[in-house]
Amino acid sequence: MTDTDGLRLLPFRGLRYAPDRISSLTAVTSPPYDVVVRPEGVRHLETADPYNIVRLILPHAADPAARHRQAADTLRRWRAEGVLAQDPDPALYVYEQRSGEVLQRGLIGALRLDGPVLPHEDVIPEVVEDRAALMRAAAANFEPLLLSYRGGNPANGATAVIERVVEGTPLLSTTTEDGFTHRLWAVTAPADLATIEADLARRQALIADGHHRWATYQRLYEQQPGATAASPWASGLVLLVDTARYPLQVRAIHRVLPHLPPAKALAELAGAFRTRPLAGGLPDALRALEETPGTAFVLSGGPDTFHLLDRPDPELLDRMIRRDRPEAWRRLDATVLHSVLLDEVWHIPDHPSDIGYLHHAEAAVAHAARHGGSAVLMRATSEETVRQLAECGVTMPRKSTSFGPKPATGLVLRTLEDDN
């Protein structure tokens, strides 16, 4: 495939839950697969409703191949039983998330893979292979990844279509446990679709959340025999948000090192970082982290033990951090963490069993305490820094930053074996 000049967001026939076959939309939705805390979160979602989407995105069986077959079989059964039904006409979907003063609106569609989409993080190959095997077995995109772009005049183009569509009656509305209300509308009018297409043809997108899913889409297309640019496999399910109109929230992603006890971690830091115990609980520790200038982290082994790590040895940083990257990249907390602490000081293998990534500080601290390991609490990186580095073709260490609000999983799915 060759790059197109701009973004091409294609309509598709969405697969959605039939309201009369489930207890509620709230009970069948889920956060994205990589945000669900396992295994507790999976169990909670599975017991909410027998048709919760977690059974498709995070099936559990004896081995990976069995998990993927299980998800594919579950999807076929739910469709046959009428639990999931396909919309009659191809559409782009306007998706709204609202909680208090937070309001986000965007477009869900099948984005062509050959458009200008900027990644900003590396991916874990094992995760990409696993998600690719799952999507290949099910022939479906279960959840949209989150992309941002900078739109033009909100009085015309895609944003104007969105603002007009939300004045109508939504296809669905539900409020999830996190307090967000979700609403969805279908855009099928040819004139509206043409307006959106013309506008997006001048835009480029930044992957805000979902690097592994985007890499998975690309892997699936490459491995699909005889796939062409017109194939459903040549596009992937996304939520595209104009952040000039609806700025994203940016949060940190924390690390859990289950095999590194806190005492050992602190002992091995001698001379590399200044370490100071912090009084108080988690909110106090996070506040101290935010107020600390320069590179800093909080190390925790449980809800009652927090240490601030700051003032790294300049010579160590200079020696261990590669010089062929912009200075903004060399100063990133995530760069220092992975290049210096994980690789050089603690010698932590770059493997999912040795490094966990959790979006909530409370969950990271609890997970570390449960396994006798350490949590490394992080600060967020600004969207502007992320975008600037991405435009320079520079990727950040994986899981550097969490953008949101993230789309709920289960509101609309996309199949790859049916006409879109």
Side-chain angles (χ1 to χ4, degrees):
M1 298 174 70
T2 58
D3 287 351
T4 60
D5 292 335
L7 303 172
R8 291 193 60 192
L9 192 66
L10 307 176
F12 69 102
R13 295 175 60 208
L15 190 67
R16 298 188 294 112
Y17 280 99
D20 60 339
R21 297 300 312 275
I22 57 176
S23 57
S24 70
L25 271 174
T26 299
V28 296
T29 57
S30 165
Y33 80 96
D34 58 340
V35 179
V36 177
V37 178
R38 287 164 265 187
E40 298 89 346
V42 174
R43 285 196 295 265
H44 172 72
L45 292 166
E46 285 180 333
T47 56
D49 187 285
Y51 298 116
N52 189 282
I53 193 71
V54 77
R55 297 180 185 275
L56 299 181
I57 63 172
L58 290 173
H60 44 86
D63 60 80
R67 290 199 299 271
H68 305 146
R69 287 195 303 270
Q70 178 179 305
D73 291 343
T74 300
L75 176 61
R76 282 192 290 268
R77 186 174 69 254
W78 288 1
R79 296 186 69 181
E81 294 173 354
V83 175
L84 290 169
Q86 200 159 32
D87 287 337
D89 300 309
L92 296 178
Y93 295 87
V94 172
Y95 176 44
E96 177 189 274
Q97 296 160 273
R98 185 192 294 267
S99 178
E101 297 181 355
V102 177
L103 174 63
Q104 180 171 286
R105 289 173 178 155
L107 289 165
I108 294 178
L111 187 68
R112 279 278 298 269
L113 303 180
D114 55 358
V117 175
L118 303 175
H120 70 267
E121 289 183 359
D122 296 327
V123 297
I124 303 171
E126 296 92 336
V127 175
V128 173
E129 287 297 336
D130 181 73
R131 302 317 290 180
L134 175 67
M135 291 188 203
R136 187 184 305 112
N141 298 156
F142 291 132
E143 48 189 334
L145 56 90
L146 176 62
L147 302 180
S148 72
Y149 74 101
R150 299 290 190 181
N153 187 344
N156 52 47
T159 299
V161 174
I162 291 172
E163 300 303 321
R164 185 175 68 255
V165 167
V166 297
E167 297 299 320
T169 302
L171 294 173
L172 61 86
S173 179
T174 189
T175 301
T176 46
E177 290 185 346
D178 58 5
F180 272 88
T181 297
H182 307 260
R183 299 198 295 170
L184 196 74
W185 296 260
V187 180
T188 57
D192 287 339
L193 295 175
T195 297
I196 293 170
E197 180 179 12
D199 186 7
L200 296 182
R202 298 175 290 151
R203 314 296 177 195
Q204 68 176 8
L206 173 74
I207 300 177
D209 184 74
H211 284 79
H212 287 90
R213 276 165 283 169
W214 185 252
T216 296
Y217 295 160
Q218 294 174 318
R219 181 70 51 84
L220 287 171
Y221 174 75
E222 293 166 358
Q223 296 177 346
Q224 194 67 17
T228 67
S231 165
W233 298 90
S235 56
L237 188 64
V238 306
L239 166 63
L240 197 57
V241 175
D242 176 4
T243 52
R245 176 72 169 173
Y246 297 105
L248 296 176
Q249 297 176 306
V250 188
R251 294 189 173 90
I253 301 178
H254 310 287
R255 274 60 169 167
V256 176
L257 313 175
H259 309 307
L260 180 68
K264 184 173 186 290
L266 289 168
E268 293 178 351
L269 278 169
F273 275 72
R274 182 177 71 168
T275 64
R276 289 179 290 159
L278 295 173
L282 178 59
D284 300 301
L286 294 176
R287 190 177 306 110
L289 178 60
E290 290 294 339
E291 294 173 352
T292 301
T295 302
F297 312 95
V298 165
L299 181 78
S300 175
D304 301 316
T305 58
F306 299 95
H307 283 79
L308 181 68
L309 317 182
D310 69 346
R311 298 187 185 179
D313 177 10
E315 292 185 2
L316 179 63
L317 300 187
D318 191 57
R319 187 173 73 251
M320 295 308 304
I321 298 177
R322 54 192 297 179
R323 300 172 180 271
D324 60 342
R325 297 292 178 93
E327 189 62 24
W329 182 89
R330 300 183 82 245
R331 293 197 306 265
L332 291 171
D333 285 352
T335 297
V336 176
L337 174 66
H338 284 263
S339 298
V340 179
L341 282 176
L342 298 183
D343 292 349
E344 175 69 10
V345 176
W346 291 329
H347 304 289
I348 303 296
D350 187 9
H351 191 273
S353 63
D354 294 286
I355 306 175
Y357 300 86
L358 293 180
H359 291 71
H360 300 288
E362 297 88 346
V365 170
H367 195 81
R370 191 160 52 249
H371 292 274
S374 299
V376 181
L377 307 184
M378 309 278 290
R379 298 176 295 200
T381 304
S382 72
E383 180 184 355
E384 191 56 35
T385 296
V386 172
R387 186 178 295 277
Q388 288 175 357
L389 289 173
E391 289 174 348
C392 294
V394 177
T395 57
M396 300 166 64
R398 66 179 65 103
K399 301 292 185 183
S400 294
T401 294
S402 174
F403 288 90
K406 304 179 189 303
T409 300
L411 298 181
V412 59
L413 290 65
R414 175 180 179 245
T415 60
L416 297 167
E417 59 188 10
D418 304 301
D419 292 335
N420 287 333

